[in-house]
Structures are given as structure tokens and as C-alpha cells.
């Protein structure tokens, strides 16, 4: 087994290094650029943390579903639905109240977007991966129609909503541009701690993990696997929606076409890398944040950003080979 | 005609999904395989001509599908995770390769095979697959492995071998599908598959994992895309229908089908099992 | 077959067993569950390799490395669990693995299939899905699969286990015809009437040893029943006075649908008094599993009532029943009893997670859980390397000790124990049954299923037998009579 893992890792590294060499780039220089661009200066670190925030919260959304044995690939869709719903509220209700309501409505929207997948999984045994992929695409077109139609900022050329008033947005903890830190990251950490405690300390958390680990034994233990599946999907969707709402209120300030560059998909990698512990989502999302921010630096340097996505793909594979070999999630 | 042009890549990808999923391998990586083929064709065709481009693109897509076979069947990791990872590798890899080497291909007007070539394959393939599934030893074994790998093993059929050939075919079909996309538009653009792999999967599901119904579902989806293109901005009966509605329709219909409101569930029972 | 020995780990499943089967005719192999019948057949079929012993076919020594080689040599087996794939058509199932060519000649295959079926007196709609087949139809198709592969020696493992009496007799009619045509059939069964009516010779296995071989004409049902269960070992049994206990569990007219749509339980009625241990004898698959699932609330009965201490269980969820004091020692501890990747500590609460002291108002009390886990592990001296290690690190026997102790730890009212001593040595077995007895002394009632009649006779207060989804109570005064019970469980009245 260990040799197979080593073979896979070596193969992946060889492909990456080979690709860079063929492109006349030094792999070593590329790694240096990546690290310098993401951790080399306070501004770079601030940018990395900004990238980390949505990955952390969305990663937690995938994580909690995974604990219940569900692959919520739909976090992408739940995230953009949460973002759109939050923008809608925050544009109409000002100040702190608007911010809080925006976050809550974002969570509700995310949960509602996960509801069909949860229902179909729990009561029709339809695979959640397929339903959530479909829901992602519907969300993409729905939000795109909204921002080019009813929610569009009429004064602008962009297919985007108007910008949310600064007073309604989430406050900066440290604000000396370009070095900025938003309380959104703290919120993400709080959610991680909350989830970790909930899983460890409550009977509901215990039952959720029992369903994820061994659904048959869970049934014998008097647990309604259908109810737990539905609940896990809703909680996951709510956190996914929160990720979108936070992204609007903390950083973007508005919703626009192409809002998420694939946070929901990267989040799956984050959660797979993190494994069984909610706290492990923190370093995993940071790693993905570094790759994302560093990828931008590579791009500037003439190495296409896509190479970091390739790295992510191989990371997911390797993490899965090590950790998820025995899992049988499929109906 | 527009319908046929828009359906052909969907049909080809759906047939790739057919040979994979009927053998029990969940394949959400159709998207990535198509994208890989499209990119490789755009890079190779200027140098090696349209046929050379097609062949190299097929090899590229096949190597992605065999990577899927390797990690799901030999390493036995979850099919969905593998599919996600392959999509990521394809999206990132094509971005990298094309930005780095695509100067020549960006000029446009890539040499390509005539469109009737692709249309012919797209409409003949489902019929051939229907015949293959019903009338050949390989087809029977593919269906058996997709329904119950354990019982098939009991009858002396090796799932890992059957699935290898299934995924090999997936690589060929998605390869042709990707090349068709480039042939149709004449250029490669970043993420140019734009969800077509998922729509093909949706069509396969709607077709109850059967070749000819999947073909019809692809045609229906292609028809709606054609409507979307032609109605761009015009109103129907005085109501302005957002074009996005037509684009989202295939996915909505698939969700309703998965909820079991459209006929019986035909999911291959061995999907995802080892 | 000569001197076949097969060990699984420390367990000797077959101890130098001889089996001589004459060509032509039906040869029965009988014995209790665990006697080694299926293992012996799997060795013959090449699915298992014997540790010792030799195989001769038509006087020539042979070795089967795999089932494929056995099939080529003309040996075929229909296993207890059907090998039919429901999504394929009957014809596709028939030819799978022996298709004959790259392109299928469906017409020729259908003709040959029809000819085979006609020879056997079967009727098939070859192009319909196999999912439409009845259990009897599936069994017949399995037999045709052997004929399709031109098997001369056919092994049938419990072919009538899921068939109605009418279907079973039709099946035997065709087997008789096959035997008359010169085929050799080896029939593994629990059911003595089948042996007496249709077989030529019978080999009796018990505890992995060949006990005897007889010509059917020279023996009787009661003699065979005695040979199967081994009458000589009768131990003095403990009789406790429990007659004063009030009725705890009352089941009336309970029917449950099985996985194939037929009734797995057919109108069962039984009552268990508080303080009583009721043993359920019977061969595997007689409905014991479904009975437990129905009581625990895992399946909905189609008919009938269950009450415990006067509380009607209709409308109570599995969780509610656990709260009422129902505890299950599950049959398959890996799948049903534990979460293997969890620690012992976490597993201690599984099934009891909503009860005090494991839960305190919706939150997990990990201190109390740890203390309970300690107690549970100590109760039957589970050997473990630490309570925070995963359950998977324990051997099967130690997992069983843990699961049994967990079921007993919070004053159960009703114990449903499925083979509670599975994988345990004599001392462990005694400990677990002593534990059950102690719980009953505190007022609990217990239902124990075991395939080992001796174990039940020794440990239980009263015995009933299950056979084909029915529960049979022995006559008054015979509830501990091994011959009477033995006859009930094999269907020989």
C-alpha cells in the first residue's frame, strides 16, 4: 500500500516537473515564486488569508456532509445562491441589521438549495453527487439571469448588482491597504470550532457521524438515517450559503456574473485533505489559499495559473488514496 | 442543423459515459476528458493535420480515462473523488498548456475534419452501442459487471478487465467529442466545454443509461440550446424569457427524473461498487 | 474425496472428511449449520483449497485451482445465495461467462436454452428480466446454467431453502429426471423429508467430521435426526424455576415480508415471561433474523402485535424501543454492532447514545461514557490495547465480548441475542450466558437464537423451533427434549 502511494506521489511530481521543464520554466523557481507571492510580504499574506476565507467556510460545508457520508459537490451552487440572496437583503436593509440578516438569509438560501438533493438522497436514494451537480448548473444560470436582469446595477456596464453600502459590510479587523484583514476569517474559525464541538459534544453530532461511518450499525442503534441525511445536507447547504454571504459582505461587496471561481470545488479538496477533524480544515484551507494566491503570482511571472489547479487535482487523488480507499459512499 | 451541431458533442460524450457507467464506473470526468481532447487537438492539429490532431487528442482523452480506471479500479478510491480530481487536472492542465504553447492555435481556423464526419459518428455510435450491448459477449459482460460485479466474478468475468475496455472506449468517445467542439468553433478557449460533459451525463441519466434514449435526450438538449441561441434577446408572446432558462432546463429535467417522477429508476445497480 | 481437511485460522472446519459419490443418482449431504457441508462443497467446486486430502474424478486424481477449472471438468455448483443478476434477461444470465463467441448468436442460444428447459420440464420467457423470476424460477435457472455449461456433477446447496413446498416438489421432480438421465447430483440440505423421498445415499457431517454414510433405504428420519444433532452428548441441563414471572414479551400473529416479497414470518405467536431465557432453535434462514428485526423496530410487520410489559410497540420507532429497554446483540457485529474505525470508548455508547448516563440532555457525557466503556470492557474481560484504540484493532471474539457486555450494561428489559457466543471459547460462552441469566434475574426477558442446539439446551430455560418462517412450540414437557426439538427444526414431525 505505502509503495502504491509513493508511486502515485512520484508520478504526480514527475508530471508537474516535466510540464514545467517542457515549458522552459524551472520547477524550483516556480515554487519560489509561488511561496514568495503568497507568503513573502504582509500584503501577500493578507491576500492569502482573503483567499483562504471562502475556502475555509465552504470547506467546512463539504466537511460536515462528508462526516455523514455525503458528497456535497453542490457547495458551489449553495455558495452562489447564498451570495445572491445575501446581496439582495444587504442592498435593502442598511447597517449592522442588514449585515446580520444578510448572513442569515444567505444561510437559508444555501440550505434551501441543498434541500432537493437531501430529499432525493434520503427518500429516493438518488445519488447526491448527480443532483448537486445539476443544482450547481441551475444556480449558475439562475443567478446569471438575476444579475443581468432584475438585480442588475443599471448605472454600470458590468453584469453585476450594485455595491453594498460600506456600513452594511463586515468590518475590517486591520485596515491599512494593501494589508487588510477582515473579521470574516474569524467567523470562519468560529464556525470550525463550533462544528468540532457540536460533533464531539452532542448526541446529534454523534449520530450524524455514526450514519457516515456505518449506516447499518446506525440503524441498529435506533438512528433514523433518512432524517440524519436530510439534516446533514441542510446544515452543509447553510454553511455553503454562509460562505457566499461572507464573500459578499467581507470582500466583494456585490454579486456579479462569474462570482465564484470554483470555491465549492476547491472546498471538496480542502475537506478531503482535512479528513475527520474539523480543526484540520483550517490548515487545509490555508494550503489551498497559498496555492491560489501563489498561482496568481505565477501567472504574473508568465507561468499559467492552471498549473496550481493541476497540483490541487493530484493532491485530492493522493489524499483519497491514503484516506478514502475503503469508503463506499455510493448507492 | 444547429440542433445537430449542438447535439453532436453531447451525444459523443454521453456514449463515453455509457461505456463507463454501464460497466459500473461513475464518471463525472467526461467534462475533463472532453476538455483535454479539445485542447490537445488545438495544439496538435496545426502541426500534424486534422487526422493527426484527432488521433493525438483521442490518446490524450484516453490517458485521462485510464487514469480514472487506475485510481478507481486498482487503487479503489471513490469514483466521485477521482472524477473531481481529473476534472481539476484537466481544467488546470489545459489552461497551462494552451497559454504556454497555444500561440499558433490562437490564430483561428484550425485545420479540422468536415463536420459530417463527426455527425456520422455521433449518430452511428448509439446504434452500434445498442448492438454491442445486446448482441456481443463484451457488451453482455459490461452490463453484467455494471449490475453486480460480485456475481459476475462468480461467473468467471473479471470486472477490472471489463471496465478497462469500457473506459478505453470512454476515452475514444470523449476524445472525438472534444475535437468536434474545436472543429465547430475553429478555436480553443479556456474551459470551452462549459459544462457539456455534465449535460451529457444528465442526458445519459434521463435516457435511463440506455444508448438510444440518451441520444434522444441529447438531441432535445441540443434543440433547447439552439432555441437559446436563436431567441437571444427576443420576446415570446410579449414576455421576455431569460435565455438562461433554456440553458438550465436540461439540469432541471434531470433533477426531476432523479426524484423518480419520470418513470422507473434504471440506475445500474453496480454503479460505484468494486 | 478423501481425507479433506480445511482450517480457517485456528478453527478446523473439516477434519479429514471422506466423501464417495457414485455416478448417477442423488447423494445427500446433511448436517447442522457449521457442520462443514458448504465448506466441503466449496472445496469440491474449486472455490476453496483444501489443506490436506485428495480429489478423484472418474478414478483419476484431479486438482481444481479455481472454479473455472472445476467447471471445465464438469463440476458445477448452485450456491445458497443466488448468482442471478436481476437486471439482465433470463437468457443473458444463462449464457454469461460461457457465451461461446464474440458476437452472440441469440437465436441459436435461445433454441438451445429452450431445448434444455424442455428436457427439464421448465418454462421460461427468455427475454424477460431475471428480476421477474420467482425464487423457484431463479433456482431453476441456476440449474439450467449448470446444464448450459455441461456439468456432469451438480452440487446444489440448500436449493429449497426459499421455495414453497409445491415449487420444491416440482424441483425434485426435475432432479429425479436428471438423475435418471445419468447426472450425478450432490444435494446439501437440512430437510430430512427431501433426503428420504428423493436421495439414494446420504452422508452425515457433524462438527467438521464425517459421522456416517448410509443408503437412504436403510435408514429412518428419526435415526438421521439423531445422527445430525448427536444424541449421545446429552448433558444435564439446569432447570430454574421461573414459572412465577409475569408475561414480558407477547407476540401475536406476526407476519413480515422478506426481501424477495414473500412472507419471511408467517403468523408467529409466542410469549416470554419476565426472567425467562427462550431459546430459538432452527437452521439459518428460518425467519429468526426477521423476527428480531421486527421486534427491534427495523422492519414494519405486515400484520400482528408486539407488546413488552404491556406497552404496544406499534408506532414506536427503533429509538423508542431502545428507550423501552430493548437491546440487540446483533448477528453481524462488524456490520450491525460496531463502527470499526471508532474507538472502544465511542462504540460503548452506540445504540445507547440517547440514554443516561451516556447523554445529558442532548450532549455527550464523555466522562460517564469513558467509565461505562471501562465497565463494559471489564465485564467479559475484553482484551484491548486501550479504550481509545479503534474497534478494528480487536479480534472478533473480543469484539463480541464488548458488544454482548454493552447490551447488558443498562438494565435491559428485553434482550434479543443472535448467536451471542459467536466466536467465543467455552469460558467466554459461559460468561456471556451467565451475564444474560443475571439480567433475567433482575426481571429481563431474553430471546436467544443459536444454530447450536447443544448450546441452547444447556443455556436456555425453554426452547422453541423455527422452520420456514413458522414458530413451532414443542409439546408440553418436551421443551428441553433434544429429539423433539431436532425433529421440529428439520421439519420432520
Amino acid at each position: 500500500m505505502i509503495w502504491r502511494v509513493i508511486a502515485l506521489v512520484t508520478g504526480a511530481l514527475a508530471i508537474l516537473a516535466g510540464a514545467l521543464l517542457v515549458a522552459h520554466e524551472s520547477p524550483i523557481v516556480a515554487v519560489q515564486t509561488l511561496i514568495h507571492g503568497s507568503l513573502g510580504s504582509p500584503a501577500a499574506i493578507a491576500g492569502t488569508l482573503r483567499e483562504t476565507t471562502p475556502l475555509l467556510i465552504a470547506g467546512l460545508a463539504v466537511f460536515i456532509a462528508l462526516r455523514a457520508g455525503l458528497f456535497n459537490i453542490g457547495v458551489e451552487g449553495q455558495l452562489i445562491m447564498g451570495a445572491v440572496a445575501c446581496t439582495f437583503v444587504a442592498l435593502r436593509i442598511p447597517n449592522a441589521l442588514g449585515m446580520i440578516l444578510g448572513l442569515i438569509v444567505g444561510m437559508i438560501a444555501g440550505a434551501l438549495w441543498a434541500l432537493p438533493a437531501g430529499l432525493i438522497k434520503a427518500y429516493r436514494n438518488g445519488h447526491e453527487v448527480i443532483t448537486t451537480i445539476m443544482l450547481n448548473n441551475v444556480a449558475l444560470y439562475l443567478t446569471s439571469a438575476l444579475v443581468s436582469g432584475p438585480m442588475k446595477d443599471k448605472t454600470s456596464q458590468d453584469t453585476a448588482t450594485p455595491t453594498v453600502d460600506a456600513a452594511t459590510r463586515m468590518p475590517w479587523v486591520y485596515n491599512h491597504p494593501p494589508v487588510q484583514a477582515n473579521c470574516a476569517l474569524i467567523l470562519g474559525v468560529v464556525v470550525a470550532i463550533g462544528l468540532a464541538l457540536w460533533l464531539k459534544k452532542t448526541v446529534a453530532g454523534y449520530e450524524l457521524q455514526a450514519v457516515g461511518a456505518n449506516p447499518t450499525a446506525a440503524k441498529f442503534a435506533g438512528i433514523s438515517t433518512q432524517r440524519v441525511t436530510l439534516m446533514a445536507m441542510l446544515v452543509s447547504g447553510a454553511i455553503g450559503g454562509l460562505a457566499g454571504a461572507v464573500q459578499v459582505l467581507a470582500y466583494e461587496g456585490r454579486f456579479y456574473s462569474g462570482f465564484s471561481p470554483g470555491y465549492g470545488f476547491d472546498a471538496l479538496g480542502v475537506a478531503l485533505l482535512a479528513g475527520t477533524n474539523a480543526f484540520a480544515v483550517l490548515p487545509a484551507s490555508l494550503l489551498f489559499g497559498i496555492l491560489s494566491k501563489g498561482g496568481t503570482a505565477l501567472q504574473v511571472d508568465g507561468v499559467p495559473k492552471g498549473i496550481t489547479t493541476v497540483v490541487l487535482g493530484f493532491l485530492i487523488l493522493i489524499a483519497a488514496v491514503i484516506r478514502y480507499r475503503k469508503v463506499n459512499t455510493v448507492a | 442543423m444547429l440542433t445537430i451541431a449542438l447535439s453532436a458533442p453531447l451525444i459523443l460524450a454521453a456514449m463515453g459515459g455509457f461505456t463507463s457507467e454501464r460497466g459500473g464506473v461513475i464518471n463525472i470526468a467526461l467534462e475533463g476528458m472532453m476538455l483535454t481532447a479539445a485542447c490537445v487537438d488545438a495544439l496538435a492539429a496545426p502541426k500534424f493535420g486534422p487526422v493527426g490532431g484527432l488521433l493525438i487528442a483521442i490518446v490524450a482523452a484516453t490517458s485521462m480515462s485510464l487514469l480514472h480506471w487506475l485510481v478507481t479500479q486498482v487503487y479503489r478510491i471513490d469514483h466521485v473523488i477521482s472524477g473531481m480530481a481529473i476534472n481539476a487536472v484537466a481544467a488546470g492542465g489545459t489552461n497551462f498548456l494552451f497559454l504556454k504553447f497555444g500561440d499558433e492555435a490562437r490564430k483561428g481556423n484550425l485545420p479540422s475534419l468536415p463536420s459530417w464526419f463527426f455527425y456520422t459518428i455521433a449518430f452511428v455510435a448509439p446504434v452500434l452501442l445498442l448492438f454491442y450491448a445486446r448482441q456481443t459477449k463484451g457488451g453482455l459482460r459490461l452490463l453484467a459487471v455494471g449490475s453486480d460485479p460480485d456475481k459476475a466474478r462468480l461467473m468467471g468475468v473479471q470486472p477490472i478487465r471489463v471496465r478497462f475496455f469500457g473506459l478505453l472506449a470512454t476515452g475514444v468517445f470523449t476524445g472525438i467529442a472534444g475535437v468536434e467542439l474545436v472543429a465547430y468553433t475553429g478555436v480553443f478557449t479556456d474551459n470551452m466545454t462549459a459544462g457539456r460533459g455534465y449535460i451529457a451525463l444528465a442526458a445519459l441519466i434521463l435516457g435511463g443509461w440506455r444508448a438510444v434514449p440518451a441520444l434522444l435526450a441529447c438531441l432535445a438538449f441540443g434543440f433547447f440550446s439552439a432555441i437559446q441561441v436563436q431567441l437571444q434577446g427576443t420576446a415570446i408572446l410579449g414576455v421576455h424569457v431569460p435565455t438562461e432558462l433554456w440553458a438550465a432546463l436540461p439540469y432541471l429535467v434531470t433533477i426531476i427524473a432523479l426524484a423518480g417522477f419520470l418513470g422507473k429508476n434504471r440506475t445500474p445497480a453496480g454503479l460505484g461498487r468494486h | 474425496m478423501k481425507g479433506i481437511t480445511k482450517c480457517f485460522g485456528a478453527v478446523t472446519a473439516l477434519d479429514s472428511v471422506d466423501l464417495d459419490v457414485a455416478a448417477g443418482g442423488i447423494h445427500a449431504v446433511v448436517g447442522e449449520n457449521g457442520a462443514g457441508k458448504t465448506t466441503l462443497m466449496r472445496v469440491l467446486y474449486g472455490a476453496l483449497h483444501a489443506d490436506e486430502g485428495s480429489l478423484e474424478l472418474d478414478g483419476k486424481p484431479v486438482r481444481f485451482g479455481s472454479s473455472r477449472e472445476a467447471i471445465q471438468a464438469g463440476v458445477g455448483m448452485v450456491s445458497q445465495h443466488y448468482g442471478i443478476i436481476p437486471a439482465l434477461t433470463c437468457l443473458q444470465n444463462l449464457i454469461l461467462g460461457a457465451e461461446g463467441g464474440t458476437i452472440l448468436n441469440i437465436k441459436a442460444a435461445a433454441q438451445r436454452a429452450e431445448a434444455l428447459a424442455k428436457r427439464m420440464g421448465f418454462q421460461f420467457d427468455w427475454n424477460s428480466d431475471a428480476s421477474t423470476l420467482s425464487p423457484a424460477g431463479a433456482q431453476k435457472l441456476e440449474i439450467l446454467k449448470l446444464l448450459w455449461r455441461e456439468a456432469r456433477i451438480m452440487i446444489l446447496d440448500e436449493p429449497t431453502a426459499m421455495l414453497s413446498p409445491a415449487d420444491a416438489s416440482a424441483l425434485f421432480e426435475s432432479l429425479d429426471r436428471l438423475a435418471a438421465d445419468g447426472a450425478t447430483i450432490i444435494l446439501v440440505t437440512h430437510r430430512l423429508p427431501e433426503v428420504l423421498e428423493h436421495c439414494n445415499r446420504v452422508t452425515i457431517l457433524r462438527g467438521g467430521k464425517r459421522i456416517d454414510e448410509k443408503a437412504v433405504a436403510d435408514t429412518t428420519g428419526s435415526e438421521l435426526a439423531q445422527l445430525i444433532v448427536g444424541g449421545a452428548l446429552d448433558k444435564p441441563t439446569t432447570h430454574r424455576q421461573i414459572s412465577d414471572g409475569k408475561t414480558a414479551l407477547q407476540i401475536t400473529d406476526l407476519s413480515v415480508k422478506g426481501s424477495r416479497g414473500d412472507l419471511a414470518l408467517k403468523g408467529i405467536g409466542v410469549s416470554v415471561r419476565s426472567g425467562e431465557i427462550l431459546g430459538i432453535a432452527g437452521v439459518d434462514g428460518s425467519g429468526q433474523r426477521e423476527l428480531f428485526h421486527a421486534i427491534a423496530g427495523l422492519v414494519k410487520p405486515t400484520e400482528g402485535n408486539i407488546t413488552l410489559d404491556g406497552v404496544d410497540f406499534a408506532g414506536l420507532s427503533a429509538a423508542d424501543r431502545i428507550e423501552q429497554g430493548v437491546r440487540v446483540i446483533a448477528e453481524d457485529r462488524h456490520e450491525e454492532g460496531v463502527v470499526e474505525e471508532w474507538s472502544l470508548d465511542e462504540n460503548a455508547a452506540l445504540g445507547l447514545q440517547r440514554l443516561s448516563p451516556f447523554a445529558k440532555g442532548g450532549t455527550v457525557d464523555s466522562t460517564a461514557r469513558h467509565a461505562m466503556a471501562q465497565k463494559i470492557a471489564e465485564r467479559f474481560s475484553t482484551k484491548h490495547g486501550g479504550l481509545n484504540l479503534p474497534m478494528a484493532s480487536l479480534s472478533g471474539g473480543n469484539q463480541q465480548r464488548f458488544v454482548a457486555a454493552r447490551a447488558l450494561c443498562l438494565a435491559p428489559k428485553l434482550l434479543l441475542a443472535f448467536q451471542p457466543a459467536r466466536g467465543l471459547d467455552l469460558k467466554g460462552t459461559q460468561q456471556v450466558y451467565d451475564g444474560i441469566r443475571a439480567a433475567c434475574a433482575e426481571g429481563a426477558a431474553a430471546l436467544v437464537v443459536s444454530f447450536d442446539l447443544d448450546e441452547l439446551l444447556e443455556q436456555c430455560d425453554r426452547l422453541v423451533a423455527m422452520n420456514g418462517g413458522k414458530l413451532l412450540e414443542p409439546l408440553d414437557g418436551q421443551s428441553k427434549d433434544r429429539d423433539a426439538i431436532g425433529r421440529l427444526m428439520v421439519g420432520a414431525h
Side-chain angles (χ1 to χ4, degrees), chain A residues 87-141:
Chain A
T87 313
F88 183 83
V89 170
L91 284 173
R92 281 160 185 77
I93 303 168
N95 301 330
L97 179 67
M99 183 191 88
I100 292 167
L101 280 180
L103 290 177
I104 292 172
V105 169
M107 289 176 76
I108 293 172
L112 282 179
W113 207 248
L115 180 68
L119 285 173
I120 291 175
K121 172 72 179 179
Y123 297 101
R124 301 271 177 169
N125 201 23
H127 201 302
E128 75 278 8
V129 166
I130 309 291
T131 44
T132 51
I133 286 176
M134 301 301 147
L135 284 166
N136 281 346
N137 286 293
V138 176
L140 207 62
Y141 288 115

Side-chain angles (χ1 to χ4, degrees), chain C residues 378-399:
Chain C
E378 274 167 15
R379 174 108 193 233
F380 298 141
S381 34
T382 302
K383 282 194 200 72
H384 61 91
L387 292 173
N388 53 352
L389 289 183
M391 188 51 94
S393 67
L394 263 58
S395 70
N398 281 313
Q399 284 188 8

Side-chain angles (χ1 to χ4, degrees), chain A residues 67 199-204 206-207 209-223 227, chain C residues 293 298 318-319 322 330 334-336 338-339 341-342 346 349-351 353-354 359 362-364 366 369:
Chain A
R67 294 307 294 148
L199 286 177
K200 204 173 152 55
K201 294 286 177 197
T202 69
V203 173
Y206 179 92
E207 294 191 341
Q209 294 181 86
V211 170
N214 186 343
T216 313
K219 258 188 219 132
F220 272 81
I223 301 167
R227 213 171 50 213
Chain C
H293 289 186
L298 301 172
I322 289 172
H334 295 281
E335 275 301 309
E336 301 164 350
V338 300
V339 175
E341 56 263 46
W342 283 8
E346 287 164 320
L350 193 66
Q353 69 272 9
R354 286 168 182 268
T363 61
V364 171
S366 35
R369 186 173 77 188

Side-chain angles (χ1 to χ4, degrees), chain C residues 135-344:
Chain C
Q139 188 62 253
K140 287 173 185 168
L141 185 57
E142 288 282 7
I143 291 168
L144 286 186
K145 272 164 82 177
L146 297 186
L147 292 177
W148 180 266
R149 286 161 182 74
E150 291 170 342
R152 290 172 299 129
I153 301 178
M154 303 166 68
I155 308 167
L156 286 94
D157 195 354
E158 300 286 350
T160 55
M162 298 182 190
L163 302 188
S164 68
D167 284 331
S169 62
L171 176 73
F172 274 108
E173 233 169 76
S174 40
L175 289 183
D176 288 341
R177 198 171 316 169
L178 269 179
D181 284 356
T184 307
I185 296 166
I186 303 177
L187 178 73
V188 176
T189 186
H190 290 112
R191 301 186 179 186
L192 292 185
E194 293 174 356
V195 177
L196 296 172
E197 275 175 50
H198 299 282
C199 300
N200 309 96
R201 294 192 68 79
V202 53
T203 297
I204 302 106
L205 296 182
R206 188 170 72 232
K209 289 198 174 87
R210 198 201 75 156
I211 298 302
D212 205 347
E213 186 188 321
K214 286 188 168 290
V216 170
D218 303 341
T219 186
T220 62
S222 50
E223 186 193 12
L224 281 178
Q226 205 154 37
L227 285 170
I228 290 171
V229 293
L233 288 163
D234 247 355
K235 287 179 195 163
T237 51
T238 45
H239 281 277
R240 296 184 299 126
Q241 272 304 333
I242 38 95
S243 53
D244 53 336
K246 61 180 176 18
T247 299
L249 177 72
Q250 176 74 50
I251 295 175
T252 39
D253 200 24
L254 185 71
S255 290
V256 170
K257 261 211 178 96
S259 52
R260 297 182 150 260
D262 46 345
L263 283 183
L265 289 184
K266 300 164 187 163
I268 280 189
V270 70
S271 64
V272 190
R273 285 188 298 267
S274 152
E276 185 181 35
I277 304 177
L278 178 74
I280 300 178
V283 298
D284 196 1
S286 300
Q288 302 96 326
R289 201 162 290 126
E290 288 79 6
L291 176 62
F292 274 22
H293 289 186
I295 300 173
L298 301 172
V299 295
K300 254 208 173 83
T302 52
E303 253 182 279
N305 277 312
I306 304 170
T307 59
L308 178 64
D309 295 332
V311 180
D312 188 357
F313 270 13
L316 293 192
S317 70
D320 296 335
R321 296 180 197 204
I322 289 172
E323 213 174 316
Q324 292 290 327
V326 176
R327 301 284 183 274
V328 182
I329 300 177
E331 170 190 13
D332 181 346
R333 58 181 168 253
H334 295 281
E335 275 301 309
E336 301 164 350
V338 300
V339 175
E340 289 218 296
E341 56 263 46
W342 283 8
S343 67
L344 273 67

Side-chain angles (χ1 to χ4, degrees), chain A residues 4-5 7-8 19-20 22-23 25 71 73 116 120 124-127 129-131 133-135 137-138 141-142 144-145 148 265 268 272 299 302-307 309-310 312-314 316-317 320-321 324-331, chain B residues 21 26 28 67 70-71 74-78 80-82 84-86 88-89 91-93 95-97 99-101 194-195 198-199 201-202 205 228 242 244-245 247-248 250-252 254-255 258-261 265 268-269 271-274:
Chain A
R4 290 178 159 200
V5 175
L8 194 67
L20 285 169
V22 170
E25 304 284 349
F71 266 113
I73 290 188
I120 291 175
R124 301 271 177 169
N125 201 23
H127 201 302
V129 166
I130 309 291
T131 44
I133 286 176
M134 301 301 147
L135 284 166
N137 286 293
V138 176
Y141 288 115
L142 178 61
S144 156
S148 53
F265 296 115
L268 196 86
L272 286 175
Q299 181 102 322
V303 181
K305 193 176 158 70
I307 195 78
T309 317
V310 178
L312 290 184
F314 282 123
I316 293 174
L317 277 188
V321 167
Y324 283 91
R325 216 169 60 93
K326 274 201 264 170
V327 172
N328 236 339
T329 50
V330 173
Chain B
E21 300 229 335
I26 299 175
I28 62 168
L67 175 65
L70 181 77
V71 290
V74 180
Y75 287 91
R76 292 175 157 249
I77 75 168
D78 191 277
V80 173
I81 298 179
S82 168
M84 289 291 301
I86 285 174
V89 169
N95 167 281
F96 175 80
L97 287 176
L99 286 179
K100 217 55 209 173
F101 303 105
Y198 295 126
I199 297 193
L201 192 62
I205 294 165
Q228 186 196 347
E244 285 87 353
L245 178 71
Y251 303 113
L252 280 172
T254 309
I255 294 168
L258 279 165
F261 296 124
N265 187 348
L271 211 51
R273 277 170 52 192
H274 290 295

Side-chain angles (χ1 to χ4, degrees), chain C residues 21-39:
Chain C
V21 181
I26 306 179
H27 189 115
V29 176
V30 297
E32 285 189 287
N33 283 87
K37 305 181 302 275
T38 300
T39 312

